[in-house]
Structures are given as structure tokens and as C-alpha cells.
Amino acid sequence: MFNPNRFVKTLMWAGVAAAVLTGCNKPAETTAETPATGDTPAAATEMKTVAITAIVEHPALDAVRKGVIDELAAEGFTDGKNLKVNFQSAQGNTGTAGQIAKQFVADGPDVIVAIATPSAQSVAAATTSIPLVFSAVTDPVEAKLVSKLDGSGTNVTGASDVLPYEPQIDLMKQIIPSLKNVGYVYSPGEVNSTIVLKNLKEKLTPMGITVHEAPAQRSNDIAMAARSIADKVDVIYTSTDNNVVSAYESLSQVAKESKVPLIASDTDSVARGAVAALGVNYYDLGRETGKIVARILNGTDVGTIPVYIPQSLDLYVSPANATAAGLTLPQAVIDKAKEVVK
């Protein structure tokens, strides 16, 4: 059985291994870690090509893509100058994700960046030779992208957005001290989401808290799924499920009508209706992903690069959204927030 605590600890050791590897085995050529002159890293003078695909476009995944491109520029790879970036969105369709993956492989870029699990799985199925760097993947081992986290030995590595569950649960209990029923709307076909469901049940059931699941196959089904559990739950918890995040406004509307607060693991969801969110900064995750891509472009073997995991979480809150849900946010929660959304 997947153990999230062991997974997080393993990822943290992977980060340590990455630091050691970087310090002891820098490539002979100029890299982002060994600038040629001044403060600007030197990049290869020949044109490089990076293909980027995402399962869908929404604020979190868009922030990852921007972070990747910004970091590559900081590392000396500038789009339109010595770098060509090709971006394609699958618009939430896994079939389209497969088509994009095959086209990218046929184009033969230097690196393919796949944002979110479905796109990463599609690319991994299409090539075992072109370097694949995934991002915003909760459990790359469970998703069968890598067999281990400290350097896969294959053409795949990337950045995970895995979250420890305890802080999420503590936040829910701080906001709703009498918490007994948690709703979870999710896509049953997205491995990231089914993993979260399994682990929520494992964590909450011993606490006497019941998880009410509401599967939704498509973004258009999210509102209906939320209505099916709204009268049974004290809160609806949302992960980074791509269908859910894409349709967050419709979910938020149901929550407001039902006076059920939303608590999220995607901080951008607070501006879209959530009462609070504790999660990774997806732009920063994109920057870390970009660092991995730059290392590969500079000659590092992709199979030696460990999976990256963020070491900090950001708390966003909205007192206004709490009021709309019939709640008052505790001042202690507000005081801890990185950002208070009006």
C-alpha cells in the first residue's frame, strides 16, 4: 500500500541526493550552475527545442508552464533566440493528449515537458529515448512514470506536487472544529485524484470522520457531483484534480447555494471561491521544473536526476468566501496566511 509519509521522506532524501550530485558531478561544459562570465548563466549557442504539453489549461498548470519558460530564460535559454518552445494543450481530453505526445515524439525535440499526470503518461507511452520532464504529478511511482525517485535510470524525471495530508486535515479542523463529514469531488480516471481519495480515507476514518466521494467523469459533471453530497458534508475538499480545477466556478456556485465551504490544495482556487487553500506554489514548481530541463539541455543525463518535491506550502484564505459559506475564519488561521484574498 502506498505510504504518503514514506513517499514524502523518500522525496526529501532524493532532494539531498540531487544536491550532492550537482556539487560533485557538474558537467564539463558551461551550465546554469557554472556561469561563464558575470551573473548570467551561459547556455548552448545552438538552437534547442523544448516541447511542452498540459492536459488542460487552468491557473495552476498555466503557472507551471510560465515558471518553466521563465527559468529557462534565467538559465540562458531564451525563446526565439536560442530556444524554440512548442506548447500544446490537450483541452482535458486524454485521447488528444496521446495524439500530442506522438506528434512531439515525431518532431524530435531536445526535451519534452509534460504538465499533469495524464499528459506525462501519454508522453511516457510514446517514447523511451527523448528526455521527458514531468511536472505537477502527485505520485510518479504510482503513475508508473518512474520506478524510483532518486534517479530513474530511464528517460524520465520531473517535479512532484505531492502534499503531506496532516496539514490539510489540521486546516479543515481549525476552520470547522466539529468536522465529521468531508466531501470529495474527483475524476475517477485521474490517478492523482484516486490516490488522494484513498489516503484521505486512511487518515480520516480513524478520526471518526467520514469521506463522502462524488466521482465526476468530465468537467461538465462537477456541479452535479457536488450537489449529490452537499447536504451530507461539513466541507468539500478539492485536490489538484484537473477536471475539478477547470470547473471550479461551477463547483463554487453549488457550494455557495448549499452553504458548504470549499477547502483546496490549489491556492489559486481561493480567488475562485474556496475559503482556504494550503498547497504548493505552482509557479515555483515550474521554476524548479525549468532547472531540471536546463540541466538536461546542458548535458546532464536525465536518468541521474532525482524527482523534485517542494519543501514548503503556502496558505491562502478568503474571509469573504467564508462569510458566504456561513463561517467566520479563525483569526489564527488568517494570521498564518501568506495571502488574504479579498
Side-chain angles (χ1 to χ4, degrees):
M1 181 177 293
F2 173 69
N3 186 321
N5 292 326
R6 181 178 299 170
F7 179 55
V8 172
K9 290 179 181 177
T10 304
L11 282 169
M12 291 174 68
W13 279 111
V16 173
V20 172
L21 179 65
T22 301
C24 299
N25 294 299
K26 292 182 182 178
E29 62 197 86
T30 300
T31 71
E33 298 162 280
T34 55
T37 57
D39 296 325
T40 303
T45 55
E46 69 271 19
M47 181 69 72
K48 298 288 187 179
T49 303
V50 172
I52 304 176
T53 183
I55 187 61
V56 72
E57 293 175 81
H58 62 62
L61 302 191
D62 294 348
V64 171
R65 173 162 49 99
K66 185 177 188 305
V68 170
I69 294 171
D70 287 354
E71 182 60 35
L72 285 172
E75 301 275 359
F77 295 97
T78 304
D79 188 17
K81 183 179 178 182
N82 59 348
L83 177 69
K84 179 180 179 182
V85 175
N86 179 14
F87 171 69
Q88 296 289 332
S89 168
Q91 300 299 322
N93 188 306
T94 54
T96 302
Q99 295 171 2
I100 292 171
K102 291 176 182 177
Q103 183 58 57
F104 278 178
V105 171
D107 292 342
D110 294 290
V111 179
I112 299 175
V113 177
I115 304 173
T117 302
S119 286
Q121 290 174 318
S122 295
V123 176
T127 181
T128 57
S129 57
I130 298 173
L132 164 59
V133 179
F134 60 78
S135 192
V137 171
T138 298
D139 186 349
V141 175
E142 187 74 18
K144 302 187 185 308
L145 294 171
V146 295
S147 60
K148 57 193 182 81
L149 303 167
D150 57 348
S152 66
T154 69
N155 66 314
V156 183
T157 190
S160 171
D161 61 354
V162 64
L163 297 174
Y165 291 92
E166 288 77 7
Q168 312 288 315
I169 294 169
D170 287 345
L171 178 63
M172 285 188 258
K173 293 173 72 175
Q174 286 179 63
I175 293 174
I176 307 171
S178 60
L179 184 67
K180 290 296 181 183
N181 294 278
V182 174
Y184 182 65
V185 181
Y186 72 105
S187 304
E190 189 166 331
V191 66
N192 279 1
S193 302
T194 57
I195 290 168
V196 171
L197 175 61
K198 179 181 71 173
N199 288 303
L200 277 177
K201 287 182 175 181
E202 289 178 354
K203 296 288 184 181
L204 291 174
T205 300
M207 299 178 184
I209 299 172
T210 302
V211 177
H212 299 263
E213 57 185 279
Q217 294 285 357
R218 304 167 301 168
S219 295
N220 291 341
D221 300 327
I222 298 299
M224 184 181 299
R227 287 192 182 95
S228 73
I229 60 171
D231 62 346
K232 304 173 185 176
V233 301
D234 304 309
V235 64
I236 293 177
Y237 174 74
T238 60
S239 68
T240 52
D241 182 296
N242 292 294
N243 280 340
V244 173
V245 175
S246 296
Y248 213 85
E249 281 77 13
S250 62
L251 174 62
S252 177
Q253 185 59 40
V254 173
K256 286 180 181 178
E257 292 169 359
S258 306
K259 294 291 184 181
V260 177
L262 298 174
I263 296 179
S265 60
D266 167 32
T267 56
D268 287 319
S269 295
V270 175
R272 303 170 71 193
V275 168
L278 183 66
V280 305
N281 183 307
Y282 279 90
Y283 176 76
D284 290 346
L285 189 69
R287 295 292 296 245
E288 294 296 335
T289 306
K291 290 178 183 179
I292 294 172
V293 176
R295 288 182 64 187
I296 296 168
L297 293 177
N298 280 318
T300 300
D301 179 0
V302 59
T304 67
I305 303 175
V307 172
Y308 169 83
I309 180 174
Q311 298 300 307
S312 63
L313 302 177
D314 291 340
L315 174 63
Y316 282 39
V317 301
S318 172
N321 290 345
T323 299
L327 293 175
T328 299
L329 277 179
Q331 190 60 45
V333 172
I334 296 173
D335 291 343
K336 293 176 183 176
K338 178 178 180 180
E339 184 166 331
V340 178
V341 180
K342 303 299 184 183

